Amino acid sequence: MVALAIVALVLGAILSLPGRDGDRSQASETSAARLQAAFDARQSDIWVEATGEVVRVLPDDLEGSRHQRFIVRLRTGQTLLVAHNIDLAPRVALLSPGDEVSFRGEYAWNAKGGVVHWTHRDPSGRQVGGWIEVNGRQYR
């Protein structure tokens, strides 16, 4: 019985190692749940990482700093506007509805689900900044 318990513990530790598919999926679900909680509580200024599906690519916002904009749906069903500053980071190439996108940025609440911005390096170097990843390529 003790040997069986040890085997179960070892297998559990191996399956929870970073980089395993199950681990990534669980991390994505945790991030989506955190974003849903931030939306429900009307919180802003929260750094988040998540993965979702592009549901719509919008025209660039050209007022002030230029931003590439698209809407992502998380596994929870929540939608987010991603506003990626293309004056500070490269444009995400060939982005289309249906693409899976991972991102890190700062979340700001709005009634439509929220906005994620700061998906780029901090030009002043004071904070880590964010990124967008599509098809194995990271944009920051």
Side-chain angles (χ1 to χ4, degrees), residues 4-24:
L4 204 52
I6 292 172
V7 168
L9 284 172
V10 169
L11 277 175
I14 289 169
L15 292 174
S16 67
L17 287 173
R20 305 277 307 184
D21 288 341
D23 188 48
R24 274 184 246 142

Side-chain angles (χ1 to χ4, degrees), residues 12-89:
I14 289 169
L15 292 174
S16 67
L17 287 173
R20 305 277 307 184
D21 288 341
D23 188 48
R24 274 184 246 142
S25 177
Q26 184 178 13
S28 180
E29 287 176 24
T30 300
S31 298
R34 183 172 180 224
L35 277 161
Q36 185 65 53
F39 174 74
D40 292 343
R42 297 180 175 218
Q43 293 179 315
S44 291
D45 306 321
I46 300 169
W47 282 89
V48 297
E49 286 185 34
T51 299
E53 178 184 345
V54 175
V55 293
R56 188 167 177 207
V57 177
L58 302 170
D60 291 349
D61 177 1
L62 303 176
E63 304 253 340
S65 298
R66 298 174 310 137
H67 287 78
Q68 180 180 16
R69 301 177 312 147
F70 54 95
I71 298 174
V72 173
R73 178 175 292 120
L74 305 176
R75 288 184 176 101
T76 60
Q78 179 181 0
T79 56
L80 301 168
L81 171 64
V82 177
H84 181 61
N85 188 321
I86 52 177
D87 287 336
L88 297 174

Side-chain angles (χ1 to χ4, degrees), residues 109-122:
W109 182 90
N110 74 23
K112 293 184 178 182
V115 178
V116 174
H117 62 110
W118 268 93
T119 56
H120 54 81
R121 288 190 175 106
D122 180 358

